[in-house]
Amino acid sequence: MTSRVIRLLPTAYLVALDVAAAAVVTMLYLHFAQVSTAPLWLGYPLAFLVGAPLAVRRKWPLPVLAVVLTAQNAGTVADITLEMYTPSAFALYMVGVEVPRRRSVAALAVSLATAAVALFIGQPWPDDIGLALAVALVLASSWMLGRTVRLRRAYDARTAVEEASRAVARERLRIARELHDVVAHSLSVIAVKAGVANHVEDAAVAREALGVIERTSRGTLVEMRRLLGVLRDEGGEAELAPLPGLADLPDLAASAALAGVEVSLRVSGGDVPDGVGLAVYRIVQESVTNVVKHAAPARCEVAVAVEAESVRVEVTDDGPGGRSLPGGDGHGLAGMRERVDLYGGTLTTGPAHAGGFRVLAEVPFT
């Protein structure tokens, strides 16, 4: 209820200004009617017709302009006022803001023409020439100001829609990368265990490998359904589990151990923002996946240190040296580098000094 009231405040404020303007114009024209030579039975109604409709100019811009302009033209012909058509300009501004271009231009043309005719009838020549030009300038300026506001609002609306579309595209790209990381890691574990089950003769070992395949595939399907649910949910109301972070690294290490890679995990320091935690998790996941694919069976050491302004991630293994990440500069390395670059960090990959492979990343979060 409170948020709805807050949203209505700007509109109520503008309507209050219109009501105040209508009251001021009405009182001004009542004064003109009193000091003019025209009969009061004509002057008073014209004063109300010129001023009162301005209170609802935002709701009915064209009808308000028609009433105000007609009454003001009648007042000019009756010599009730020589005022510069300010009420009509006030109404014409809202026509420029709210009415589509064709009808808005027609309204401006009719306003200029009828005002000129009224001035030529009500004022002696040549005074009517200068007065007509001044009134035309006031009316045209007010209309152009309204059109400028309308065009600006349309531009802002298009910009907001385009930005929302870009945000959706960025989110879908992020989800696609998440899917790549999930599927690549899980399929690597499944491929290794499927190879074990296919080549061993021990039924117990084969059953263990098939159990790992079953658990890994089930977990992957759950996460894939969660991510794909975001893509399919147009309203953004899908219920999502928390994104993985530093707290999920032990489960990742256990999953790698099932695929034949013994992971030694060390995590030190405090908490990190969720986005940084997800980036660290995916970097470790991609690095361990690389070990599973190209170095298993092997030992792998993962060290994650949360410092004052950054997170330092180091993943080393004792597998065969001289190899690179899957696909060279392919999706694995590119995905890690994009995550690090997003936070202005650094990434170094290559053979370790003591053999094996090393991935070193530093991700700042301040």
Side-chain angles (χ1 to χ4, degrees):
M1 182 66 180
T2 302
S3 61
R4 183 181 179 184
V5 171
I6 292 175
R7 287 196 301 270
L8 291 176
L9 282 179
T11 302
Y13 172 74
L14 294 174
V15 170
L17 286 180
D18 289 345
V19 172
V24 170
V25 170
T26 300
M27 289 188 292
L28 179 63
Y29 269 72
L30 287 174
H31 172 71
F32 289 159
Q34 291 173 351
V35 299
S36 70
T37 58
L40 294 180
W41 62 264
L42 176 63
Y44 282 174
L46 287 180
F48 281 102
L49 289 175
V50 170
L54 296 177
V56 292
R57 66 176 186 139
R58 297 179 190 277
K59 190 172 183 179
W60 298 297
L62 278 176
V64 167
L65 175 64
V67 173
V68 171
L69 182 64
T70 301
Q72 192 158 21
N73 285 335
T76 299
V77 172
D79 198 22
I80 294 177
T81 177
L82 299 180
E83 191 267 333
M84 299 294 296
Y85 276 71
T86 303
S88 296
F90 196 57
L92 192 58
Y93 165 83
M94 193 53 59
V95 171
V97 172
E98 299 293 342
V99 179
R101 182 180 60 183
R102 184 172 298 180
R103 287 189 295 165
S104 180
V105 171
L108 173 64
V110 171
S111 299
L112 294 175
T114 56
V117 170
L119 287 169
F120 282 126
I121 294 175
Q123 299 300 317
W125 191 90
D127 295 341
D128 51 6
I129 298 294
L131 193 58
L133 291 177
V135 168
L137 179 62
V138 170
L139 293 177
S141 299
S142 179
W143 179 84
M144 285 188 290
L145 180 60
R147 290 300 300 176
T148 301
V149 171
R150 180 182 177 88
L151 294 175
R152 179 63 185 180
R153 289 178 181 176
Y155 172 78
D156 291 341
R158 287 196 303 270
T159 301
V161 171
E162 292 171 359
E163 180 59 31
S165 299
R166 286 193 292 268
V168 170
R170 288 194 297 267
E171 181 64 11
R172 289 177 180 268
L173 180 59
R174 183 192 68 80
I175 293 172
R177 289 170 177 163
E178 298 295 329
L179 282 173
H180 165 265
D181 293 340
V182 170
V183 173
H185 173 75
S186 300
L187 287 181
S188 297
V189 174
I190 290 172
V192 170
K193 282 303 181 180
V196 171
N198 188 42
H199 290 93
V200 300
E201 297 180 358
D202 190 335
V205 176
R207 279 197 300 272
E208 179 187 357
L210 292 174
V212 172
I213 292 174
E214 180 183 9
R215 290 191 297 273
T216 303
S217 59
R218 287 183 184 276
T220 303
L221 287 173
V222 169
E223 189 161 2
M224 285 182 64
R225 279 195 294 266
R226 178 173 66 84
L227 292 173
L228 290 174
V230 179
L231 294 176
R232 292 171 180 165
D233 181 55
E234 297 296 335
E237 298 177 355
E239 295 185 4
L240 302 180
L243 292 173
L246 300 187
D248 299 283
L249 291 177
D251 293 336
L252 180 62
S255 175
L258 295 176
V261 175
E262 181 183 348
V263 178
S264 174
L265 175 65
R266 298 195 312 275
V267 179
S268 61
D271 297 329
V272 298
D274 291 342
V276 175
L278 175 61
V280 171
Y281 180 89
R282 294 306 186 198
I283 291 171
V284 174
Q285 184 183 54
E286 188 64 42
S287 302
V288 173
T289 299
N290 182 44
V291 179
V292 171
K293 286 181 178 179
H294 298 276
R299 293 187 71 259
C300 178
E301 294 187 1
V302 178
V304 178
V306 181
E307 300 173 351
E309 298 181 348
S310 63
V311 182
R312 190 174 187 274
V313 182
E314 184 174 8
V315 182
T316 58
D317 65 77
D318 59 1
R323 71 182 193 277
S324 61
L325 285 175
D329 288 338
H331 296 300
L333 177 59
M336 285 198 289
R337 191 169 299 281
E338 286 178 359
R339 292 182 186 277
V340 172
D341 290 344
L342 178 64
Y343 294 94
T346 58
L347 176 68
T348 304
T349 62
H353 295 297
F357 198 79
R358 178 172 177 261
V359 174
L360 178 62
E362 185 168 356
V363 184
F365 55 81
T366 59

